[in-house]
Amino acid sequence: MTLRPRFPSVRALTGAALLFAGMIAAPLTPARAADCPDAEALHAAGVTLTRNTPKMAQAYRYENGTLTSYRVDDPELGRPPKRERYDHPLAVSLQEMDGRSFALLYDDDPARLDQLPQLGNWRTPVSLKVDGETKDRGTISYAYRGTGSVQIGACRYDVWQVVERIAMGKLRTAFLKEFSPKAGLVLRVTKLDPETGKAQSQVAFDRIETRQK
């Protein structure tokens, strides 16, 4: 789900950054050089992914049984800190940023995505709610494109390559998501032209670490 946020206020940035701080900014015991976290870490202290240029940090963990992430970008980019929840690591269900919420409600259970290599494709109707009010209806689909690998620092993960497409009113989006069952996370996302499939931009990371209690 790609939505254009408003320019963040100082208050929104401060509040979200404080929410994020418990996972990103607190003093920590440095992770071991060979520490390549797996999905079990998400149920404990969590996992942090960081990018050097432009600077960005995203922390993941399960909260009350739901995978949740907190993201902070370089302040110079003018992007508000963002909190996301997932019905499945491939399927964002809620974004909260700059005091607003954007929810995708799936008619069918995204847990079916666990069988995507066997299914090949999975599709469901979805509703978009903005600040609790239903704004639109559409469909979201996931197509399995095979396997690959993602290298993050010293850690290498085997991944599923999955193309996600959203069609909702005039909105058309497409993303290549590279999901690691071992890590329990999408480790790289490439935005695609929804018509041609050509890569337009990418979110990739330079480090992955287990959070230390």
Side-chain angles (χ1 to χ4, degrees):
M1 176 171 60
T2 302
L3 298 161
R4 188 182 300 275
R6 298 175 297 153
F7 191 84
S9 65
V10 172
R11 179 187 231 173
L13 282 168
T14 302
L18 287 172
L19 183 64
F20 194 86
M23 301 185 71
I24 290 294
L28 301 170
T29 303
R32 299 184 305 274
D35 177 19
C36 296
D38 59 21
E40 290 185 6
L42 298 170
H43 295 275
V47 172
T48 302
L49 291 158
T50 53
R51 182 180 65 193
N52 295 332
T53 307
K55 292 180 180 178
M56 187 261 276
Q58 189 154 358
Y60 295 84
R61 70 181 176 195
Y62 277 88
E63 296 181 353
N64 299 317
T66 301
L67 182 63
T68 304
S69 74
Y70 300 85
R71 171 173 168 168
V72 171
D73 291 89
D74 187 331
E76 292 186 3
L77 297 177
R79 296 172 182 162
K82 180 168 61 177
R83 180 174 184 257
E84 292 185 323
R85 292 179 180 174
Y86 307 80
D87 284 353
H88 183 278
L90 283 162
V92 177
S93 57
L94 179 69
Q95 289 184 353
E96 296 174 322
M97 54 187 172
D98 201 18
R100 306 197 70 191
S101 68
F102 305 87
L104 273 182
L105 305 181
Y106 299 80
D107 284 17
D108 300 320
D109 188 356
R112 290 279 286 163
L113 291 169
D114 282 341
Q115 285 79 50
L116 192 58
Q118 291 76 42
L119 296 173
N121 296 274
W122 185 78
R123 174 175 171 159
T124 180
V126 291
S127 299
L128 171 65
K129 283 192 172 185
V130 179
D131 298 331
E133 181 181 349
T134 299
K135 293 293 186 179
D136 216 336
R137 287 273 296 172
T139 59
I140 187 168
S141 64
Y142 297 84
Y144 180 73
R145 293 291 184 250
T147 60
S149 66
V150 171
Q151 187 83 26
I152 305 178
C155 299
R156 178 186 173 279
Y157 293 90
D158 293 330
V159 296
W160 301 352
Q161 296 183 334
V162 177
V163 174
E164 175 195 85
R165 292 183 179 273
I166 297 178
M168 186 176 296
K170 295 182 179 180
L171 175 67
R172 297 290 187 275
T173 66
F175 294 91
L176 172 64
K177 294 186 171 184
E178 296 181 81
F179 167 63
S180 165
K182 178 181 178 181
L185 296 172
V186 171
L187 298 179
R188 188 163 62 197
V189 179
T190 304
K191 183 179 180 180
L192 307 175
D193 182 297
E195 299 298 329
T196 66
K198 182 178 179 180
Q200 295 181 324
S201 61
Q202 188 177 81
V203 176
F205 297 94
D206 298 297
R207 294 188 304 283
I208 181 169
E209 299 172 310
T210 303
R211 300 297 295 171
Q212 304 296 310
K213 291 184 178 180

